[in-house]
Amino acid sequence: MHTLDRRNFLKGALATGVIGAAGVLGGCAAGEQGKAAGDNQATAAGQADNAALAYDIAETKEVDVVVVGSGNAGMAAAVEAAELGATTLLLEKEAILGGNGNHTYGPSGFDTKYSRAAGVTYDYREAVVEDQRMFNYIPNIRYYIDMAEASSDNIDWVAEHGVPISSVVDNYKGGNPTMHYWGEDGGTIDPVHGRVGSGTVYIAGMQATAESLGVEILTNTPAVDIVMDGADVVGVIAQDSKGSYIQINAKAVMLGTGGICGNPDLMAKVGRADDVVSPYTFSPGTTGDGYTFSMKAGAFDTIGSLGFIEQPAFAEMGLAEQKAREQNLDSSYSPNRNDEHPVWNILKMGKCLWVNELGERFADESAAKPEGGIAGWATAAIMSQQKSFAIIDKAITDMLGQDCMDLMLSANEHNTKFQADTLEGLAKAMDIDYATLQATVDRYNEMCAAGEDIDFGKYAEGLVPIGEGPYFATQLGVTPLCSIGGVRVNRQMQAADVNWNPIKGLYVIGVDSFPFYTQMYYFQLPGSAVAYELHSGLVAARHAAENLL
């Protein structure tokens, strides 16, 4: 242990994972200010002679609980910890609170007062059976059972802490009827496109409650490192907007940083590096801080089975969105609203032909359709190929309209869109063997005429033949909205090592730990990610209050 003066350097050893690289700048504060200590006492384990990094600590805070990340899980953890008597500080690296949570609709719930009033019944044990079979019995299903059995109480807790809950309970867009919605009307209702999101209702309600309980909230203030005393986590280092470092000593550190989608290096590590489809993530601040800090603390790495909330996408979506804004096109052309985008509707309903770089068909194109489909199935199929393309004919392009097609063709900086009067011309433009492509189209059209896809099982209504030209093709990709998982936790949300030993002082909540899906998010159980975020934050706060404070 080293005792340092307030203005001195806190030194930690990179080699032992005590102190790591500094992050981006941060800094304005909201809420009640915490107490700053006059002297700075820092602890570090395993000092190394080389690769040591130094922080000039400008201020030290002493709290019971520090929560890193203000999304659904972080907000729940901060409010519950404060209500249980803990002095609590909430850090958010972005300028506004909420992160991924701003883009959510609400949690799944089972046998809630809202579902009973709506006459909706669904036994979570059916979900248990589906979940186990879907993921080959790999995840520990007890996590899901814990969440499901607590879901009614958790939703009531939210309502009691300043967040209205809609009376609407449904199956979202084709899953099982477990979906509950933030907001009295289930979110903003658009007469054309339906619900468009209500996560800000939850964040605003939680923020007001947190502030009323005396939670200190710092925005633009990222955590840049964890502080350890031996094998225990005892705080974090944060950085404000002026570049000054703040040491926050805490009995419990709760990481809910929203996953890794904003970190290109980590995304490449899990095979999601994509320089063609411009990724759209819920929050650009999701740079894997929770994962990185947990690995330094010795948590077991589960990134190999990381799942994603993601959707199949056409190439260069970000560029198309930019051009749509520049041209003042209707908002339905925005690729960030995938559910309503005209081309997305064609893709998800399967009214197109998918081929790979050899011109071969490789999957049921309707894998992501609303009724009975799962977006993760479609993304998995797309990622199984070196390259993949969607082809449509004149009938479909006419249906989409000239504005849409012009927009698609203009978003083509990486040669991902192709158009030709003939299939031979299209094959040449795509650098695909024409004979192979023609044979693929011929076989596909024969199955369309027969009304049965004997190769990949596409539903009959999706069997739309490739007719007359001109033809259009776009390269396909995957847009990852949010990662799920990466850090092992026990059922009290404590980070755990390879032998399941808990790491004292460290909790990992929300999608940073999400333990019961692997590889992909199961859209047939709508709201389960939010339900876990809420549940994990509450469980972590209660366990810390009982065992550490």
Side-chain angles (χ1 to χ4, degrees):
M1 180 181 294
H2 286 53
T3 302
L4 304 178
D5 292 333
R6 183 170 182 261
R7 295 297 301 176
N8 284 353
F9 290 101
L10 171 67
K11 295 184 177 180
L14 180 63
T16 57
V18 178
I19 298 295
V24 297
L25 298 179
C28 63
E32 182 178 322
Q33 290 295 318
K35 178 182 178 182
D39 294 322
N40 171 31
Q41 186 175 61
T43 63
Q47 294 289 326
D49 293 331
N50 57 359
L53 298 180
Y55 294 97
D56 185 5
I57 302 300
E59 181 180 8
T60 299
K61 294 178 179 289
E62 303 284 344
V63 298
D64 292 325
V65 174
V66 58
V67 180
V68 181
S70 66
N72 292 333
M75 280 294 193
V79 168
E80 183 70 348
E83 193 162 55
L84 292 173
T87 55
T88 305
L89 188 150
L90 178 63
L91 295 175
E92 171 54 53
K93 72 192 303 183
E94 300 293 324
I96 61 172
L97 300 175
N100 293 337
N102 288 315
H103 303 270
T104 62
Y105 293 87
S108 59
F110 302 90
D111 193 28
T112 68
K113 66 182 181 183
Y114 303 96
S115 63
R116 292 192 294 272
V120 174
T121 60
Y122 183 76
D123 191 330
Y124 77 82
R125 287 167 289 195
E126 295 181 44
V128 166
V129 173
E130 288 187 44
D131 192 37
Q132 287 182 305
R133 292 174 178 172
M134 181 71 188
F135 298 102
N136 298 313
Y137 291 80
I138 295 172
N140 183 342
I141 203 65
R142 294 304 313 186
Y143 291 88
Y144 192 97
I145 294 172
D146 289 346
M147 180 200 75
E149 291 183 341
S151 63
S152 180
D153 288 341
N154 291 345
I155 291 172
D156 287 346
W157 180 91
V158 170
E160 293 163 1
H161 288 79
V163 179
I165 305 294
S166 171
S167 61
V168 174
V169 179
D170 62 19
N171 65 354
Y172 185 53
K173 296 180 180 179
N176 293 307
T178 63
M179 188 70 185
H180 294 63
Y181 294 89
W182 310 132
E184 293 178 356
D185 62 357
T188 303
I189 303 299
D190 183 298
V192 176
H193 303 303
R195 294 187 182 89
V196 295
S198 52
T200 54
V201 173
Y202 171 86
I203 298 301
M206 286 288 101
Q207 178 183 358
T209 302
E211 290 174 344
S212 72
L213 291 169
V215 175
E216 181 180 5
I217 301 175
L218 301 179
T219 56
N220 282 324
T221 307
V224 298
D225 223 323
I226 55 172
V227 179
M228 299 187 70
D229 182 4
D232 300 343
V233 174
V234 295
V236 300
I237 304 297
Q239 191 173 36
D240 67 20
S241 59
K242 298 178 181 179
S244 298
Y245 292 107
I246 307 168
Q247 182 175 339
I248 303 162
N249 297 324
K251 298 171 184 175
V253 174
M254 300 180 184
L255 304 176
T257 62
I260 70 167
C261 283
N263 186 316
D265 291 337
L266 288 177
M267 290 294 282
K269 183 177 180 179
V270 296
R272 292 308 198 278
D274 194 336
D275 59 358
V276 174
V277 177
S278 302
Y280 168 64
T281 66
F282 283 147
S283 173
T286 55
T287 54
D289 297 339
Y291 170 80
T292 302
F293 298 159
S294 297
M295 294 305 102
K296 291 179 182 179
F300 182 70
D301 188 345
T302 64
I303 201 169
S305 60
L306 195 72
F308 284 90
I309 300 175
E310 59 187 354
Q311 296 175 328
F314 60 85
E316 301 182 78
M317 286 176 58
L319 181 59
E321 180 195 14
Q322 175 186 333
K323 290 180 177 293
R325 288 198 302 265
E326 291 171 352
Q327 298 171 34
N328 294 317
L329 292 178
D330 182 87
S331 62
S332 66
Y333 286 94
S334 169
N336 281 2
R337 294 181 62 179
N338 264 342
D339 290 357
E340 293 83 36
H341 193 280
V343 178
W344 166 243
N345 279 322
I346 296 300
L347 294 180
K348 76 178 178 182
M349 296 307 297
K351 296 181 179 180
C352 55
L353 172 65
W354 287 2
V355 299
N356 62 19
E357 72 281 358
L358 301 177
E360 304 162 326
R361 188 170 177 236
F362 60 90
D364 169 8
E365 297 87 351
S366 67
K369 69 184 177 69
E371 295 296 332
I374 296 176
W377 289 346
T379 59
I382 289 169
M383 291 186 64
S384 73
Q385 306 299 308
Q386 180 179 338
K387 286 186 178 181
S388 56
F389 306 88
I391 298 174
I392 56 178
D393 63 8
K394 183 179 185 299
I396 299 296
T397 58
D398 286 350
M399 183 180 71
L400 290 171
Q402 195 61 48
D403 282 349
C404 182
M405 295 312 301
D406 287 346
L407 174 65
M408 291 294 293
L409 288 166
S410 69
N412 196 25
E413 291 184 352
H414 297 282
N415 193 33
T416 61
K417 313 294 190 306
F418 313 92
Q419 191 171 39
D421 291 333
T422 65
L423 277 176
E424 183 174 8
L426 188 69
K428 182 177 181 181
M430 297 168 67
D431 195 24
I432 286 176
D433 179 68
Y434 167 59
T436 301
L437 180 61
Q438 184 66 66
T440 297
V441 171
D442 290 344
R443 178 168 179 79
Y444 177 70
N445 284 349
E446 288 173 3
M447 291 187 291
C448 290
E452 183 181 7
D453 180 4
I454 62 175
D455 287 347
F456 296 103
K458 183 193 286 192
Y459 74 125
E461 291 81 359
L463 289 171
V464 178
I466 301 299
E468 297 181 353
Y471 303 96
F472 171 82
T474 178
Q475 188 169 339
L476 297 174
V478 172
T479 179
L481 304 174
C482 178
S483 63
I484 48 177
V487 180
R488 173 180 283 177
V489 293
N490 62 21
R491 288 162 65 186
Q492 290 72 47
M493 306 305 154
Q494 294 173 287
D497 68 15
V498 65
N499 295 313
W500 288 94
N501 298 309
I503 298 170
K504 185 178 179 181
L506 182 62
Y507 297 82
V508 185
I509 58 179
V511 296
D512 284 343
S513 63
F514 199 102
F516 48 81
Y517 295 152
T518 60
Q519 304 301 325
M520 67 179 181
Y521 180 69
Y522 193 21
F523 281 93
Q524 293 301 89
L525 299 170
S528 55
V530 176
Y532 175 77
E533 291 160 1
L534 174 61
H535 180 68
S536 63
L538 294 176
V539 168
R542 291 164 185 168
H543 185 270
E546 182 176 350
N547 293 276
L548 298 179
L549 307 186

